[in-house]
Amino acid sequence: MWLAPVGAEPRLAAHNLLRTLGSTLVDNPTLRHDQSGRPHIPGLAVSISYSRHLIAVAASYGGPVGVDVEEVRARDVAGLAGRWFAPRELEWMGRQDDELVAFLQLWTGKEAVGKALGVGLGEAGLRREMPLGGGAVESVPGLVVTHLRWPDAVLAVAAPAGEVEVSRRSPTLDPPCARG
């Protein structure tokens, strides 16, 4: 996974960053989109996410991958959490030092899993329970959620177990990269 600032055109910047990441993994990557708008590069599983100020892209040889980034900014999350989170998730969230960051870890995990499954947040199930603090997703055997902290942001990567490696290599801002 690579991370970069958004710039003026987030979608274009995300596609350019994904092409750059793809070129480190396959020769002459061709970025296409399916009918739902999901990006594809032959030979790789890929995912894109962007927020107001950040872009995250991920690619994997080993199977499905999903990425999500959310900026840490003041917002009311109680209603969303109460509506979509399981009692176990709500209890865990309430025990954390930073309830907003805990909410964002669960939310980005759900989003990343939905993207990895190719069905998005709604179809993947907002009610799908996430591993608390990251780890194996019980409802999807072999899929693991890994969380990465970045100043003022929470990132989640969903990928096959054993596929995520955290390093510090990237052409962007030297962010943490999860490479699989």
Side-chain angles (χ1 to χ4, degrees):
M1 185 198 74
W2 284 358
L3 182 67
V6 166
E9 297 288 335
R11 184 178 163 103
L12 178 61
H15 289 155
N16 288 338
L17 188 61
L18 184 59
R19 282 186 197 96
T20 302
L21 172 58
S23 70
T24 69
L25 301 170
V26 295
D27 290 330
N28 301 317
T30 303
L31 178 63
R32 293 194 172 95
H33 294 83
D34 65 17
Q35 292 176 346
S36 69
R38 183 177 165 96
H40 292 278
I41 293 178
L44 297 174
V46 298
S47 183
I48 293 174
S49 179
Y50 51 89
S51 64
R52 289 181 183 175
H53 299 103
L54 295 169
I55 299 166
V57 298
S60 171
Y61 295 119
V65 67
V67 64
D68 190 51
V69 60
E70 289 286 339
E71 293 177 39
V72 178
R73 59 179 172 75
R75 59 183 110 175
D76 181 19
V77 297
L80 282 173
R83 181 173 181 191
W84 298 112
F85 290 2
R88 184 176 72 97
E89 292 171 322
L90 290 170
E91 181 183 321
W92 175 83
M93 191 176 101
R95 290 191 321 263
Q96 303 309 301
D97 290 337
D98 190 330
E99 196 170 81
L100 175 59
V101 169
F103 169 86
L104 292 173
Q105 286 181 338
L106 292 168
W107 190 267
T108 59
K110 290 173 187 281
E111 183 83 50
V113 168
K115 289 179 179 184
L117 297 175
V119 294
L121 192 57
E123 293 295 322
L126 280 166
R127 296 195 191 278
R128 179 188 308 275
E129 285 195 45
M130 289 294 102
L132 305 177
V137 181
E138 288 183 25
S139 62
V140 186
L143 196 68
V144 173
V145 172
T146 303
H147 294 285
L148 304 170
R149 282 299 311 261
W150 184 251
D152 302 320
V154 173
L155 297 97
V157 180
E163 289 295 315
V164 176
E165 169 191 323
V166 177
S167 66
R168 299 229 10 123
R169 296 180 307 198
S170 166
T172 57
L173 298 176
D174 194 28
C177 301
R179 186 167 180 172

